[in-house]
Amino acid sequence: MAVSERATVLIVDDEPDVADAYAAQLRGQYDIQTVYSGEAALDALDSEIDVVLLDRRMPDISGDAILERIRERDLPARVAMVTAVDPDFDIIDMPFDDYVVKPVSRDDLFETIERLQSCAAYQNHLREYYALTSKFAALKASKREAELQSSDEFQELKDRIEDHQAELDEIVDRFDEHDYEAIFRDVGGRAELSLDE
């Protein structure tokens, strides 16, 4: 989804007061759904959910198990674990997009959601950009220059590539250090992170 679109955020926490407090802080900026159990979360999850704020410790189904189900169902939602559980080595293989330790401020919630939206937008534009440039390269390799220059379709393709490049540049201009780390996690790139810290 484009960063400018209104995200649908699913808040999952077995403490209603906590979930409702998050919802109150975010409502107006995002479309909010709130559930208070893992079972209800699984029922609410569908392809319309953009971001999930997911508690790890819940009595019926753990947040970890819900995260696995989200990935198994190949849902496009970005998932932030929002939890009182301090991170341990078990998180290394967990397929979440962000990890936020409670207590969480209103600013933390907004920054997390915006970062996840930016990463999703970047990844979507990058995927489309790659597809378009592959078509461009295939045509350049098989057609004469005169044919390319006289083709309206080829000129439209070049325009679309330029538009996607501009969108990617615009998104990157808004990135901070955390956004870059998240993007490199998503695309499997090699972020320049210090391993000695």
Side-chain angles (χ1 to χ4, degrees):
M1 68 171 285
V3 178
S4 60
E5 292 177 10
R6 189 176 168 102
T8 299
V9 178
L10 176 64
I11 300 169
V12 184
D13 200 302
D14 65 308
E15 295 183 48
D17 290 347
V18 172
D20 291 345
Y22 293 166
Q25 294 170 5
L26 297 172
R27 196 167 279 117
Q29 185 75 22
Y30 307 105
D31 293 328
I32 302 297
Q33 296 181 33
T34 308
V35 296
Y36 310 116
S37 70
E39 202 64 57
L42 293 175
D43 290 341
L45 282 163
D46 61 28
S47 61
E48 300 302 309
I49 303 293
D50 299 301
V51 174
V52 181
L53 302 179
L54 180 60
D55 188 23
R56 282 191 77 179
R57 273 194 198 137
M58 291 184 288
D60 60 338
I61 303 173
S62 73
D64 296 11
I66 293 167
L67 175 62
E68 288 296 329
R69 297 280 284 281
I70 291 169
R71 298 310 183 216
E72 285 169 6
R73 289 164 61 177
D74 201 29
L75 293 170
R78 298 291 171 137
V79 180
M81 306 304 280
V82 182
T83 177
V85 180
D86 286 329
D88 204 345
F89 295 113
D90 65 330
I91 72 167
I92 291 172
D93 293 322
M94 292 176 64
F96 56 76
D97 299 292
D98 209 344
Y99 198 95
V100 184
V101 179
K102 295 177 181 176
V104 180
S105 71
R106 182 178 187 276
D107 287 345
D108 292 335
L109 292 173
F110 275 101
E111 287 172 11
T112 298
I113 293 168
E114 289 302 306
R115 180 166 43 254
L116 295 179
Q117 284 187 270
S118 293
C119 291
Y122 182 85
Q123 196 169 33
N124 291 339
H125 278 293
L126 187 62
R127 185 180 299 119
E128 181 66 15
Y129 179 76
Y130 180 80
L132 293 172
T133 55
S134 294
K135 294 170 186 177
F136 180 88
L139 289 169
K140 285 283 280 185
S142 65
K143 298 287 187 186
R144 295 191 310 269
E145 190 62 30
E147 287 181 279
L148 296 173
Q149 294 301 323
S150 64
S151 167
D152 290 339
E153 293 93 339
F154 188 73
Q155 297 309 313
E156 287 173 13
L157 175 63
K158 287 171 66 174
D159 291 343
R160 288 174 64 195
I161 290 171
E162 288 176 10
D163 289 345
H164 276 283
Q165 181 63 60
E167 286 283 346
L168 288 168
D169 291 344
E170 184 180 320
I171 294 168
V172 168
D173 286 345
R174 293 192 301 261
F175 279 178
D176 63 16
E177 178 182 330
H178 297 295
D179 296 324
Y180 279 110
E181 290 173 12
I183 283 293
F184 279 116
R185 275 198 313 267
D186 288 339
V187 299
R190 296 182 182 142
E192 292 295 324
L193 302 177
S194 171
L195 300 179
D196 298 324
E197 292 177 355

